[in-house]
Amino acid sequence: MYTQGLVSIEGAGGAEEERFQARVDAEERIEPNDWMPEAYRRTLMRQISQHAHSEIVGMLPEGNWITRAPSLKRKAALLAKVQDEGGHGLYLYAAAETLGSSREEMVDALLEGRAKYSSIFNYPTRTWADIGAIGWLVDGAAIMNQIPLCRCSYGPYARAMIRICREESFHQRQGYEIMLTLCRGTEAQKAMAQDALDRWWWPCLMMFGPPDAQSQHGDASTRWKIKRFSNDGLRQKFIDATVPQAHYLGLTVPDPELRFDQASGHWLTGAIDWEEFRRVLAGGGVCNRERMEARRRAHEEGAWVREAALAYAAKQRRVAA
Amino acid sequence: MSVAIAVAETPLVRFLLGRADDALILGHRLSEWTGHAPILEEELALANMGLDLIGQARALYAMAAEAEGAAHDEDDYAYLRDEGQFRNLLIVERPRGDFADTMLRQALYAIYAEMFWQATSRSTHRELAGFAAKAAKEMAYHVRHAGAWVMRLGGGTVESHARAQAALERLAPYLDEMFDGEDPSLAAIAPDVPALRKDWDSAARTLLGEAGLTLPDVPYPQRGGRVGRHGETLGHLLAMFQHLHRSHPGATW
């Protein structure tokens, strides 16, 4: 296990580490200049940069519909939403930079395939209803994951998450409202909405990560108060919140085994196809290749622009000197 | 497929649609950058400028609808007119091109649009005048942002300078059309557009001069956008932009 391995390399139990853990336990925020275990720093760096990459790659599937949005109101809202995702990426990169890595290094890691991004963005947005489904379900799942991060022990990350969550819940309501409009619309629009739910439901359940029994990053992250709830716990919370919303829309959740369990008060689903999760994570999704190619192309085609900006700034400095 | 609406184009309706179409089409071109900009900060800036312009288009379509009085709304104008009914300047429909094409166009158009809206803020059309004052402020930001990029590209590297100059050569034939006058019957409502040319020339040439770029002479300026004679690219833009809306006649989104 990655993080546990790092902890054991350093040797747990030093006096500094004890003081650090005591501060975490007391719900104090750890700030960039504070002492922190190397494994804590690296775990956060991995998580925050992965989160930033997800925001940036996540602009692509939704960007796919900006030029085709069916009304001016929707076009403006979608452009603003995707712009928000870019903004999230920006302040998450800034939060990760406080841990000692530059944005350039993180972007290079993404483009070279060394860093991951959320696998959900490897699914295609085939119809306009996918824009509704992404807002409602993908952003909804993201919020479930992210609200606890507003109390994350690392200050810069927690503060970034507060702002991000506020915007994400707006996006989620907007997405649901798109679905509602479709479901109250023509037969073709309703069919479009159902088809989107059919395709996004299971991948969204997978967004919470593998079952607790198989999760790789759980223990240390929990002790450090980076992670506060288990994958399965958050997934269940999402299911319980979302199933009634689907019913209100008049849509069918694509799970013949779905049932409400009176005893526990939870909606219980059929088995998640973790083979699909692994396949998409490993590069076998419909859009893995396109997403990375699009990012690389933007980076490569933008190189001359970045070089020009740097060269111009250097000339200005020489003039000023 | 939905068929196109028929618009009763009085001079005022045509004038408002022209300005709305300018904003919509340019806003759309900027929105094409989403996810593909050279720097993350520019993703945000391009989207910002695109949103300003789409917002302007919506306000102007609403005024056109009121002037036409035919119960058309913003989406009818944007989605249910055919190419020949679009009244935008040719310069805004040019493809987004590379970053130099986009920023040179944005700077040269925004210098013009800021002056145009400033002059329009003295219109006797009360609502238009109020809108124009706000639009002028937005365009002033575009001038600042795109102008800074013109400086960086013109004065940056050999490659960026060459790309910026090439972009300028591509845009130059479409600049004259910006200064064509509006219908004389609109004298109290629309500003004297040809009169803006002198100040624009001075501001544009100052910026380009500082960036080391040269505005080429144009023996054959291109025009025709205001009367619906467009180049080859607008049809493709509209095919993408309108297809979903038109595929579901009467649907609400």
Side-chain angles (χ1 to χ4, degrees):
Chain A
M1 303 285 157
Y2 176 56
T3 54
Q4 287 160 337
L6 288 171
V7 173
S8 65
I9 288 166
E10 283 178 16
E16 275 178 318
E17 184 147 356
E18 271 170 35
R19 269 198 300 279
F20 169 84
Q21 189 62 50
R23 291 187 61 198
V24 169
D25 292 341
E27 298 288 339
E28 280 180 42
R29 292 285 164 269
I30 307 301
E31 296 299 332
N33 293 328
D34 296 346
W35 187 91
M36 63 186 83
E38 181 59 16
Y40 175 83
R41 196 183 62 79
R42 286 171 65 172
T43 298
L44 274 168
M45 180 103 78
R46 176 180 52 75
Q47 182 170 335
I48 301 173
S49 64
Q50 194 169 311
H51 189 167
H53 299 327
S54 301
E55 298 282 0
I56 302 306
V57 176
M59 295 171 78
L60 296 170
E62 291 181 286
N64 185 35
W65 282 92
I66 289 176
T67 51
R68 296 179 287 171
S71 74
L72 293 185
K73 187 183 122 196
R74 295 294 186 201
K75 185 180 176 73
L78 182 58
L79 181 53
K81 186 201 169 193
V82 178
Q83 184 193 36
D84 282 348
E85 315 291 0
H88 297 172
L90 201 58
Y91 34 89
L92 285 166
Y93 281 128
E97 281 183 315
T98 65
L99 292 160
S101 182
S102 70
R103 197 206 300 181
E104 289 70 26
E105 286 166 352
M106 291 184 266
V107 169
D108 284 346
L110 172 70
L111 299 182
E112 288 163 16
R114 288 181 281 117
K116 286 193 164 26
Y117 58 89
S118 178
S119 210
I120 193 76
F121 300 120
N122 292 318
Y123 289 86
T125 49
R126 294 209 177 102
T127 74
W128 171 253
D130 291 22
I131 298 307
I134 287 183
W136 171 37
L137 300 172
V138 176
D139 292 339
I143 292 167
M144 287 289 173
N145 266 325
Q146 292 170 3
I147 281 182
L149 290 171
C150 297
R151 295 187 293 128
C152 165
S153 59
Y154 189 57
Y157 194 25
R159 288 189 288 274
M161 290 317 301
I162 289 170
R163 182 161 166 193
I164 290 173
C165 283
R166 207 174 295 145
E167 292 178 353
E168 291 292 3
S169 37
F170 177 69
H171 296 164
Q172 202 231 355
R173 282 199 297 277
Q174 211 168 51
Y176 191 71
E177 202 262 323
I178 289 176
M179 295 301 278
L180 197 58
T181 306
L182 294 174
C183 291
R184 289 178 178 170
T186 64
E187 285 306 314
Q189 286 176 304
K190 269 181 241 173
M192 204 187 272
Q194 180 64 55
D195 170 63
L197 177 60
D198 289 348
R199 286 181 288 109
W200 290 94
W201 172 254
W202 290 107
C204 282
L205 298 191
M206 296 174 199
M207 281 177 70
F208 296 91
D212 295 343
Q214 297 166 28
S215 180
Q216 289 185 16
H217 302 296
D219 296 346
S221 287
T222 305
R223 184 155 43 84
W224 289 326
K225 295 194 192 290
I226 296 171
K227 190 179 175 72
R228 290 185 182 259
F229 298 99
S230 74
N231 292 353
D232 288 335
L234 288 169
R235 185 169 14 249
Q236 188 60 56
K237 221 172 147 188
F238 173 76
I239 293 166
D240 290 339
T242 309
V243 169
Q245 293 170 351
H247 290 162
Y248 183 76
L249 292 173
L251 297 177
T252 306
V253 175
D255 178 357
E257 292 174 52
L258 183 75
R259 65 184 176 87
F260 187 72
D261 180 52
Q262 290 291 352
S264 64
H266 290 307
W267 284 93
L268 303 182
T269 67
I272 294 172
D273 177 8
W274 291 108
E275 190 40 47
E276 173 179 331
F277 177 72
R278 277 184 286 273
R279 179 166 47 80
V280 177
L281 200 62
V286 175
C287 294
N288 295 61
R289 190 177 294 271
E290 281 99 321
R291 299 294 184 240
M292 287 312 294
E293 277 173 2
R295 287 315 312 157
R296 284 194 201 108
R297 201 181 318 118
H299 192 75
E300 282 159 19
E301 287 177 1
W304 70 271
V305 177
R306 296 189 298 276
E307 283 159 17
L310 290 173
Y312 182 75
K315 281 182 198 170
Q316 294 303 105
R317 275 196 300 276
R318 275 201 297 280
V319 171
Chain B
M1 283 288 283
S2 298
V3 294
I5 55 167
V7 182
E9 283 188 307
T10 62
L12 177 59
V13 170
R14 179 178 284 231
F15 163 66
L16 291 169
L17 286 178
R19 303 296 156 170
D21 291 345
D22 288 349
L24 176 68
I25 301 300
L26 186 55
H28 182 95
R29 285 297 186 212
L30 291 173
S31 80
E32 290 175 347
W33 276 100
T34 306
H36 309 287
I39 310 175
L40 184 47
E41 282 78 356
E42 280 312 295
E43 290 281 358
L44 308 189
L46 290 162
N48 250 345
M49 295 192 292
L51 283 166
D52 283 346
L53 289 164
I54 292 166
Q56 290 176 13
R58 296 179 66 188
L60 288 161
Y61 285 135
M63 283 183 251
E66 205 177 309
E68 193 197 359
H72 288 137
D73 66 16
E74 58 178 31
D75 288 335
D76 294 334
Y77 292 128
Y79 291 91
L80 297 179
R81 281 180 303 150
D82 289 338
E83 183 183 330
Q85 296 172 286
F86 271 76
R87 303 284 171 237
N88 59 277
L89 295 167
L90 298 177
I91 192 171
V92 298
E93 72 191 46
R94 303 299 304 152
R96 81 167 206 212
D98 67 11
F99 194 70
D101 288 305
T102 286
M103 280 303 168
L104 260 296
R105 165 169 58 193
Q106 200 62 27
L108 297 178
Y109 174 81
I111 292 171
Y112 160 79
E114 184 190 358
M115 290 173 178
F116 173 83
W117 290 123
Q118 222 147 39
T120 308
S121 68
R122 294 185 290 274
S123 170
T124 55
H125 188 301
R126 184 92 52 89
E127 196 186 347
L128 179 64
F131 163 83
K134 182 170 163 278
K137 278 190 204 133
E138 290 173 347
M139 297 320 291
Y141 164 78
H142 296 208
V143 170
R144 222 170 63 210
H145 186 79
W149 272 109
V150 169
M151 294 294 289
R152 288 185 199 109
L153 298 181
T157 63
V158 173
E159 181 181 5
S160 71
H161 181 272
R163 283 177 181 263
Q165 184 62 40
L168 192 52
E169 314 265 342
R170 283 191 286 270
L171 285 168
Y174 304 98
L175 294 168
D176 279 15
E177 189 190 21
M178 297 197 295
F179 301 98
D180 290 350
E182 293 295 343
D183 191 282
S185 70
L186 299 172
I189 291 175
D192 180 359
V193 183
L196 300 174
R197 178 89 205 214
K198 197 163 151 278
D199 284 348
W200 182 88
D201 267 336
S202 156
R205 283 176 197 278
T206 301
L207 171 67
L208 296 172
E210 283 174 10
L213 301 170
T214 315
L215 196 57
D217 289 330
V218 177
Y220 306 109
Q222 299 292 318
R223 39 172 47 88
R226 293 280 188 237
V227 292
R229 286 200 303 272
H230 297 280
E232 287 185 338
T233 55
L234 184 66
H236 292 273
L237 184 155
L238 294 177
M240 177 168 290
F241 172 72
Q242 296 181 335
H243 102 270
L244 175 59
H245 184 98
R246 285 194 165 199
S247 299
H248 298 263
T252 302
W253 300 95

